[in-house]
Structures are given as structure tokens and as C-alpha cells.
Amino acid sequence: MKMVTRTAIANMKYHKSKNILTGIAIFLTSVLLFLVPSIGFAFMDTEFTLVNQTYPTWHALFRAVDETTAAGLMAHHDIETGGLRSDVGFFYHENANITTCYMDSAAQKLYKVELSEGRFPQKEDELVVSEGMLKEFGVSADIGDTVTLPFQKYLSDGMDFAADEEFTICGFLPDNEASLKSHTFMALVSEEYLRNETPKEDIRYRFLFRVADADGQTTDEIEAKISAIRESFNIPETGMNINEDYLMANHTDPAFFTAIAIILLVVTAAGIITIYSIYYVSMAQRVQEFGKLKAIGATKRQIRQIVLREGLCTACLAVPAGLVLSTLLMRPILTAFSKTISQVLDSSTNQIYQNIIDSHEISLYRWEFYLFAAAAAFITVYLSLFVPMRKAQRISPIEAMRYQGTPVKQTLRKGYTDLTISRLAKTSLMGNKKRSSFTILSMSITGILVVTVATILSCANPKNGADNNIYGHYVLELNTESGNREHPEREWNNLIQKNPLTDNLKQQIEHLDGVEKVVDFTWLHIETDLEGSEEIGVSGLLGLPESCFPELKKGILEGDASWEDLLSGDKIILNETIRRWLPELQVGDTLEIQTSDGNHTVTRSLEIIAIGNYPYGMVKHNFLLTAKEAADSLLPEDCTGYFHVFADQNYDKTLENNLKELMGDRELLSMTTWKDEYEVLRTFMTIMRSACTAFLAILSMICVMNLINTMVNSIHLRKKELGMMQAMGMTGSQLSKMLRLEGMFYTISTLFLSVGAGSILGYAAFLWAKKDGFLSVAVYHFPFGAVLIVITVLTFVQLLLTALLGRSVKKESLIERIRFSE
């Protein structure tokens, strides 16, 4: 077998051009095989380390659990640790949100509550606070001091009035920048306070717990256990919250592994197709070589081994080089991703994130990924060579001796009375249709993937996402609150008595510089006969003006509606999103609704005449849509719920400040801007687009090897033919033109298939993403930029390759080319 290895090495050196292309393909394949899992896991490990340092450690919690249910949950065999938290009220402050609650010792550990000094409350009047919270009230106190603060207690039907209460400070919670910036704080009271201030029958807990025997289980298995526990205690699904980020950080997530596996399969498939194509195209020029080996006694197994070892020898050089480059790229890539992510983190969280990166706490270079990438690359080479090995072993000596560069069975070549450059190119391309077709197909597969992914990315750009998530550029809406006795004015029934969204405010906004129009929507708080409607969020009827009807009409998926139908007052359009929870709703169904302004109560039967799909920014969480006039007619009060402000540009700081000034200190209104939505989506899409672009670029480089190999081998096989044609008068420019025509055929055919099939698959992917809300996809955009890049790159490669091949041919004399024989 030493002779077989020596022959394989000699062949590798002799067929340098083929093996250089094969080596590049293997090199790039190994780069992706290492970088995809390494960066994926390093990125996720960094996120998971951040989660483990900042997130609570409970797996899930159940809300509104009474004492009997809590005791049953504590004894459940699938629960390892359970903790209790009960919110007793708020410390009332106009500009701060201060939740006050009781936690038992288990809950304190699960929430990672630690004191900067002091101890947790034990007596009824003891309190744990933070210094930042006391500063909100302008109070300075130390442990043991008594403070008097306005406190609002939770009642069974809402919140009580605020009343001053005295507490003795027994401990301090540490402040963090996020809470200080958002004016959001937490205070802790004792169990004694909870039981003395809240009737036993009204006490409700958040039961937070860890699932037993969770080690080694996947996130899906743990979530299945959590759901089973919930169902056994008849807890509604809306009363459950799963700590998904913590589960993903500490347990295997099948979805993540599936995504990594799919990407690696795509990389492997691209490598197999490219390497096989290179060997398939070059096999034609080696028929005589293998035939001669068979004639002098080589066995089929030895022929197979020669082909295999030649490929493996090339891989032995390319794979280590690919792993070295991957190692050098790892840290810069992860650092670039980290800088992008840090833009959306608060400064304290960002500091923790950067410390994780800088401290090398995360292992970027795992030996198992090196082994995996190397093994996968060699397996890819073996699979690529499987068919060429079988073809080589089947070549007979007689067939090889008769072979002259074209299939033996082909005895005639179609001739032309008038020979032109284009006909010469056509003759060459059609002389081996299978080779030409395979090259085009293998290149097109990557092109189709590029166009498909580019379609999703172009449809998921942050501008479109922001346009989908907000209707207009600024939205003013009512800031309602239910059950707060200290602020009864925030109750919807009371709020609409003196609705701050007045016609006068609308006119003032319309006169601001930069404002094009203000569209006002009516919003009615309703109760319906739909089971579970309050939990799902079916609590609003939205009335839209006639100017929005074209958009309503365009979004209809089932049924039909006219403006006159909606004006009738007893017909509505259903937003399709609700059917995720209530799939039984159909066109023709009738819903019973009830609405009240405190003085008047109206009950109405509404028929669903159409079901439509609408942008979130337009309908928010409202699933029942009708005409504004119809909604206004139900109650005598002004029920305007939204001002959608359309401006002459997406964002204008001056206009935002002017709107805030008009709002003044109206705490009953809140404002959302287009920029708020855009910034969040922009950061995420920057990461997504960068990763996809880098991945597809390397994948495309792998497959471009097909075009290079096909053109090189075509010239190599036809040296003698080209030399004879030049001897008969073909000029150098005519030779270059013929090569350009052949290259253009491959390029145009590849582009036709890539853009055509990629556009169809891309549109199908867009429809899926739009339906599922993936990446906030809402509007279809053809990826002109990506297609232009693909066209430019392929054309440039083809022209450059043609020029280089033309120069290479011209370097050899006509005599050398005419005497050429493989």
C-alpha cells in the first residue's frame, strides 16, 4: 500500500490546479465547521453567564396561589424547592414604582435577594428598603430608625387609599443603576405584617419553584413537567410564568442544537457538492491515467484508495490551515458581536457583560470543537469522493485507451457550415452537457440559499419592523389603571369623563411644525362572552376612522366588509391574531359585548363579518375592529383612546419635545415614538445581518470553486483543439471572446436559477415569517441589493478567470498545445 500512497501524493502534486481548488473548498468548509458551533456556543455561554449572574434561579412561578394550593405544591414530588412571595401593596410616590412584598427564606434565595447590611424583617413593623428608594421621598435614615411613608395596600377588589404608616428599618437592599434610572424599587415586609394586614382568605402568593431531578434534562422536558404540575392544580395557563432564559442557560435547549445542526448540515452539503463537482469535472481528463493503472495490474481497491488518499492528503494540509484561521477569527468576531449587543444593555448589565468577555471566563477554544470540525471536514471529503472512487474503479483499460477527451459512445459532433465564435463556445458547452449542468446546479444551490436568506433579511429590516410596531411616528394613548383606589381617576370609566385626548389637544398637535396629520381611534373597554377573554386580552373594541378603511379592507383574509357594514353598529372585523388562542372563532359568529362608562351600560350583539391580519401598531392588543362612528355611538362620553401622529420624518427630537410639552404633567397619557421601536430592532438586526452575511460569503466562496474548476479543466482538456484552431487562424482576441462566452453561460444560467428559484422560496419564507411574526416581518421587499452583489461577484469572478485563463493559454506555443496529450 506504500505504492498506493506514493502514487496518490504524486497525483496530488501533478494535478496542482485541481487540488488547490479542492484544498480551498476544504479550507473554507473547515473554517465554517469550526466557527459556527464555536461562536454559537461562546455567544450563548456569554449570555448564559450573564443570566446566571443577574437572573433569579427559579424554574417557574404560579400567580395568585392561595395557601391551600401553596401547601399542596410544596409537597409535590416533582418540586425540589418552593418559595412564597406575596405582594402587599405599594409605597405611594408620583414618580416612582415601589413594590412592597413578603418573601420567605426560600424565595429570597431563589430571587437572589441579598442585603448590603442589616437583616430581613421579622416583626410586624420592620422594613427592608434601599437608599435609592428613601431618596425618592427625601428621607435619610439608618438601621433602627423609624420612617413614615405613604402606603397603598392591596385589597381583594383593587387598591386602598394611600395612608401614612410607620416602619422600623432593619436592613438595606443594594441599589443598581437600572432601578435608579427607572425609579423602580422593592421593599420587604415581614410575614407577621402580611397576616395582620391582609385577611387570610385574601392572601395570594406567587409560588416560585425549581423542578426536581432537573439535571441532565432538556428545557422541553422541564417545561413539560411544569405544565403537568400546573394542570394537576387547575392553575390557568395565564397564571404561569416560566423562567425561560434561566432554563436555556442551564439546560439543553433542543431548538438551539437543532438550529446549529441545520447550519452545519448546510455547510457540509455545500462542501460535498463542491468537492464532488471538482473531482467529477476533472475525472474526464484522468480516464487514461486510471486505465493505464488497471492495465499494469492495479486492483479496484487500489484505484479507490489512490483517489481517496489524494483527497485526504489535500485535506491534511487544508484542515489545519482552516482551524488556525478560525482560531484567529474567534475573539474578534465575538468582540464585535458583544459591542453591538452592549448598545441595548443598561450600563450596569453592560459592565457585567464586558467583564465576562474580558476575564476570559468563557472558553472560546474548546478541544471538542476542533475535533468535531476536523472529523466533519474529513468525513465531508470522504463522502465527496465516494462516487468518483466508484467511477474510477469501473474504468476499463480498453475504454481508457480509446478515450480522447470525450465520451467513447459519442462518435459524431454536430458541425456548422459557417463557424463562429459563439458556435464554438456552444459546441464546447454542449459537448459535455452533464458536466455543464452539474456545475450550474451546484452553484445555483448556494445562490438560491443566498437569495432566500437575503429576502428574509430585507423584509426584516428595522425600519419596516418599526413601521409595523407603531402606527404613525408618535402615539399618545390613555394610561389606564384598574382597582387603584388612590387613583380612581385612572379607571377607564372615570378617565373618559374628562378624557385628556381632547379635540383641542389634537388641533394643537396638528399645528406643530413637522406634523402632517393626527388620526384618532376610539377605544372601548368591554366584557365579552368569550371564555377566558380577560386573561387573553380581549378587553378592547377599537373604532377606526374612514380614512383607515382601505387598510382594513386590504388586510381581510376571510369574509368581506364594507364601510356601511361597520357603520351599522352590529358588525365587526376580527383581528386574526386572537385565533391563536380561540381557533374556533369563524366568520358569521356572534359575540355578546358589554361596555359601560359608569353611568350608562350597553349590551350589544356583534356579528363577525370578516377576519383580517393587521399590523400590531395599528390594532395593538385589540381584536375587535369597527367604524369609529359606530364605537362612538355606544356611549355618550368621549372614548378616544389613541392619537396617532404622522410626521414628515420618522423622528424629530424637537417635535418629540414639543409633544411632551403639550402633554405637560398629564400623567394620564403616555407616549411611544417610532425611534424607540427602531433602536431595539436595529441592534438585533445588525447582529443577525452580520452573522448571515459572513456565513453566506464563505459558503459562496466554497461554491465559486466549481466555476473555477470547470473553466480550468475545460481549457486543460482542449489545449490541443484550441492550438489547432489558432493554427488555422483563430486570433487571441477571438479565443478570449470564446472563453468569455463560455463563462457567461455558466454565470447567466446560475443567476437565472438562483434569482428565479430563490425569489420563489424567499417569498414563501416571507409569508411564513409574516404569519408567525418572525423578526417583525411585515412588508415584502425583493432583495435587490443582495441580488446585485451576487450578479457583480459572479460576473467579476468570471471575467477575471477568463482573463487569467486566456493569458495562461497564450503562454504556451502552438506546437506545445498541438502536441498536448494527457
Side-chain angles (χ1 to χ4, degrees):
M1 296 301 287
K2 290 183 179 179
M3 183 58 68
V4 171
T5 302
R6 292 173 62 183
T7 303
I9 294 174
N11 285 344
M12 184 181 73
K13 295 177 180 179
Y14 183 74
H15 301 286
K16 286 190 297 185
S17 60
K18 171 186 71 67
N19 285 299
I20 287 174
L21 295 176
T22 304
I24 294 174
I26 298 171
F27 169 80
L28 295 174
T29 300
S30 62
V31 167
L32 286 180
L33 288 173
F34 179 80
L35 284 180
V36 169
S38 295
I39 290 178
F41 278 89
F43 184 73
M44 294 307 295
D45 284 349
T46 305
E47 293 292 307
F48 294 161
T49 302
L50 177 65
V51 167
N52 283 328
Q53 291 186 15
T54 58
Y55 275 49
T57 60
W58 45 265
H59 291 158
L61 67 78
F62 298 143
R63 302 185 187 89
V65 173
D66 59 34
E67 290 201 341
T68 302
T69 304
L73 287 166
M74 285 289 189
H76 197 279
H77 64 279
D78 276 333
I79 292 180
E80 177 186 82
T81 304
L84 298 175
R85 164 183 168 173
S86 182
D87 292 1
V88 295
F90 286 88
F91 280 110
Y92 176 73
H93 193 283
E94 289 290 343
N95 301 317
N97 185 2
I98 308 168
T99 301
T100 308
C101 64
Y102 157 72
M103 289 186 192
D104 66 9
S105 58
Q108 292 163 10
K109 292 178 181 178
L110 291 172
Y111 268 114
K112 291 185 175 179
V113 177
E114 296 180 356
L115 302 181
S116 58
E117 58 178 311
R119 60 176 174 79
F120 288 101
Q122 297 173 356
K123 298 179 182 179
E124 180 178 358
D125 67 337
E126 290 183 336
L127 180 71
V128 168
V129 294
S130 69
E131 292 184 357
M133 169 196 153
L134 293 179
K135 287 181 181 179
E136 294 287 342
F137 291 99
V139 174
S140 177
D142 204 345
I143 292 178
D145 292 345
T146 299
V147 294
T148 301
L149 301 172
F151 187 65
Q152 274 188 279
K153 299 175 185 176
Y154 277 124
L155 301 177
S156 58
D157 59 347
M159 296 189 69
D160 199 355
F161 294 100
D164 288 343
E165 288 200 32
E166 283 191 359
F167 293 93
T168 300
I169 296 176
C170 64
F172 280 100
L173 292 167
D175 284 308
N176 60 68
E177 187 172 345
S179 64
L180 293 173
K181 186 176 181 179
S182 62
H183 304 281
T184 302
F185 305 93
M186 181 175 67
L188 300 178
V189 296
S190 64
E191 183 179 8
E192 186 177 350
Y193 180 89
L194 169 69
R195 295 192 177 280
N196 289 339
E197 297 295 328
T198 308
K200 183 177 181 180
E201 63 274 10
D202 291 340
I203 293 178
R204 293 293 181 270
Y205 295 104
R206 295 186 189 186
F207 182 82
L208 36 139
F209 62 95
R210 291 178 62 88
V211 173
D213 302 321
D215 292 343
Q217 295 190 357
T218 66
T219 56
D220 289 349
E221 291 170 337
I222 295 174
E223 289 182 15
K225 277 190 176 182
I226 294 170
S227 296
I229 296 171
R230 176 187 63 79
E231 292 173 0
S232 65
F233 285 90
N234 295 319
I235 297 172
E237 188 174 356
T238 53
M240 175 180 69
N241 181 21
I242 296 177
N243 195 355
E244 294 181 351
D245 290 330
Y246 179 80
L247 288 181
M248 287 182 61
N250 295 277
H251 299 274
T252 301
D253 180 20
F256 174 70
F257 280 87
T258 301
I260 292 291
I262 290 174
I263 295 174
L264 291 177
L265 285 174
V266 170
V267 173
T268 303
I272 290 173
I273 292 172
T274 302
I275 298 169
Y276 169 71
S277 176
I278 292 173
Y279 272 87
Y280 170 80
V281 172
S282 62
M283 194 60 69
Q285 72 186 74
R286 304 181 64 181
V287 170
Q288 290 187 356
E289 173 189 330
F290 292 124
K292 291 174 182 177
L293 289 173
K294 292 283 284 291
I296 62 176
T299 64
K300 290 184 177 181
R301 183 175 183 277
Q302 288 174 326
I303 295 296
R304 289 200 308 270
Q305 287 297 312
I306 289 173
V307 176
L308 176 60
R309 294 186 187 190
E310 181 181 344
L312 293 180
C313 287
T314 304
C316 286
L317 299 175
V319 172
L323 295 180
V324 170
L325 178 63
S326 303
T327 302
L328 297 175
L329 292 176
M330 267 291 293
R331 187 167 291 279
I333 292 174
L334 189 62
T335 301
F337 281 164
S338 301
K339 288 181 179 179
T340 304
I341 292 173
S342 64
Q343 298 176 14
V344 295
L345 299 176
D346 62 78
S347 56
S348 58
T349 305
N350 183 35
Q351 185 61 49
I352 298 173
Y353 192 88
Q354 291 302 320
N355 289 340
I356 295 171
I357 299 295
D358 298 337
S359 65
H360 305 289
E361 187 175 344
I362 300 301
S363 176
L364 302 184
Y365 311 107
R366 300 186 183 183
W367 62 268
E368 58 266 33
F369 289 153
Y370 284 100
L371 290 180
F372 167 79
F378 279 102
I379 291 173
T380 299
V381 173
Y382 176 79
L383 294 175
S384 306
L385 298 177
F386 186 76
V387 175
M389 284 190 295
R390 293 177 61 87
K391 287 187 176 181
Q393 75 175 16
R394 289 199 297 263
I395 297 174
S396 69
I398 301 302
E399 176 188 0
M401 298 307 171
R402 295 173 56 195
Y403 184 79
Q404 298 296 324
T406 57
V408 176
K409 294 181 180 179
Q410 181 177 324
T411 57
L412 295 175
R413 175 185 288 187
K414 182 179 179 181
Y416 296 96
T417 305
D418 298 318
L419 193 61
T420 63
I421 299 301
S422 59
R423 286 177 174 176
L424 281 174
K426 180 180 178 181
T427 300
S428 173
L429 293 169
M430 295 300 103
N432 196 330
K433 296 179 181 179
K434 192 173 181 181
R435 181 197 66 189
S436 300
S437 300
F438 189 84
T439 300
I440 293 169
L441 181 61
S442 60
M443 293 176 61
S444 298
I445 291 174
T446 303
I448 290 170
L449 179 63
V450 170
V451 175
T452 301
V453 173
T455 300
I456 293 294
L457 293 178
S458 66
C459 295
N461 68 65
K463 182 180 182 302
N464 289 340
D467 291 341
N468 180 70
N469 292 343
I470 185 169
Y471 188 63
H473 301 98
Y474 308 86
V475 178
L476 279 64
E477 60 183 292
L478 297 180
N479 190 12
T480 62
E481 188 176 350
S482 179
N484 189 343
R485 296 190 180 185
E486 186 64 32
H487 287 287
E489 74 278 4
R490 295 179 185 173
E491 293 281 349
W492 183 76
N493 291 346
N494 297 325
L495 187 56
I496 60 173
Q497 305 293 330
K498 295 182 179 180
N499 195 331
L501 294 176
T502 62
D503 288 338
N504 182 48
L505 177 61
K506 179 180 178 181
Q507 292 174 4
Q508 288 180 299
I509 295 174
E510 288 175 332
H511 285 90
L512 292 177
D513 291 339
V515 174
E516 294 183 343
K517 65 177 180 178
V518 179
V519 180
D520 54 322
F521 288 3
T522 296
W523 183 79
L524 296 179
H525 183 275
I526 62 170
E527 296 179 0
T528 74
D529 60 349
L530 293 172
E531 184 177 353
S533 61
E534 286 291 337
E535 290 82 1
I536 297 171
V538 188
S539 59
L541 174 66
L542 197 64
L544 289 78
E546 188 174 3
S547 61
C548 295
F549 181 69
E551 294 172 80
L552 286 177
K553 186 78 172 178
K554 183 179 179 180
I556 290 177
L557 303 175
E558 300 177 27
D560 195 14
S562 65
W563 186 244
E564 289 70 25
D565 291 331
L566 299 180
L567 286 174
S568 66
D570 59 358
K571 295 179 174 60
I572 57 169
I573 297 175
L574 184 74
N575 185 17
E576 186 200 28
T577 310
I578 189 59
R579 295 210 290 185
R580 294 181 182 178
W581 298 276
L582 300 171
E584 67 274 10
L585 291 177
Q586 302 292 332
V587 173
D589 291 349
T590 300
L591 304 179
E592 292 288 335
I593 71 159
Q594 180 176 293
T595 184
S596 173
D597 61 6
N599 300 318
H600 308 85
T601 299
V602 176
T603 301
R604 188 68 58 89
S605 294
L606 302 177
E607 179 189 357
I608 301 174
I609 59 172
I611 297 175
N613 185 6
Y614 302 103
Y616 169 78
M618 182 178 186
V619 298
K620 301 284 188 179
H621 293 292
N622 302 295
F623 302 104
L624 310 180
L625 314 175
T626 189
K628 177 174 172 58
E629 289 84 347
D632 288 339
S633 67
L634 292 177
L635 293 173
E637 301 296 341
D638 179 6
C639 296
T640 301
Y642 302 93
F643 278 175
H644 295 274
V645 182
F646 289 79
D648 57 6
Q649 53 185 314
N650 290 328
Y651 179 72
D652 183 348
K653 182 65 176 177
T654 302
L655 178 55
E656 181 185 8
N657 292 334
N658 290 337
L659 288 171
K660 289 181 178 178
E661 186 177 345
L662 285 180
M663 291 171 62
D665 58 355
R666 306 186 200 197
E667 61 182 32
L668 303 180
L669 292 179
S670 61
M671 182 171 70
T672 306
T673 71
W674 184 91
K675 184 183 179 183
D676 295 336
E677 300 290 340
Y678 174 79
E679 288 300 327
V680 174
L681 292 171
R682 181 184 64 82
T683 300
F684 178 76
M685 285 308 303
T686 298
I687 298 172
M688 180 72 71
R689 187 172 288 108
S690 299
C692 290
T693 300
F695 173 75
L696 293 175
I698 297 177
L699 205 63
S700 300
M701 290 169 63
I702 294 174
C703 290
V704 164
M705 298 300 108
N706 288 336
L707 175 62
I708 298 175
N709 177 70
T710 300
M711 295 288 291
V712 168
N713 277 280
S714 176
I715 295 299
H716 188 73
L717 287 172
R718 295 156 56 205
K719 277 186 178 181
K720 184 174 183 178
E721 176 184 334
L722 295 175
M724 293 179 66
M725 286 191 292
Q726 284 196 287
M728 291 186 294
M730 174 183 276
T731 65
S733 62
Q734 288 175 324
L735 174 62
S736 298
K737 181 179 179 181
M738 184 185 72
L739 295 178
R740 283 197 299 271
L741 288 175
E742 293 178 14
M744 287 176 61
F745 172 79
Y746 290 116
T747 300
I748 293 174
S749 299
T750 299
L751 290 174
F752 179 79
L753 282 176
S754 299
V755 177
S759 299
I760 295 172
L761 287 178
Y763 187 74
F766 157 74
L767 294 177
W768 165 80
K770 181 180 180 181
K771 183 178 180 180
D772 282 22
F774 180 67
L775 297 178
S776 297
V777 166
V779 181
Y780 177 75
H781 287 286
F782 184 79
F784 287 104
V787 170
L788 183 61
I789 291 174
V790 171
I791 293 173
T792 303
V793 170
L794 271 181
T795 303
F796 173 77
V797 170
Q798 178 253 312
L799 292 175
L800 178 63
L801 182 60
T802 301
L804 293 177
L805 289 176
R807 292 180 60 183
S808 175
V809 171
K810 293 174 184 177
K811 286 182 180 179
E812 296 183 0
S813 66
L814 289 178
I815 301 299
E816 290 176 330
R817 277 179 269 165
I818 292 173
R819 292 175 57 189
F820 171 78
S821 178
E822 181 62 31

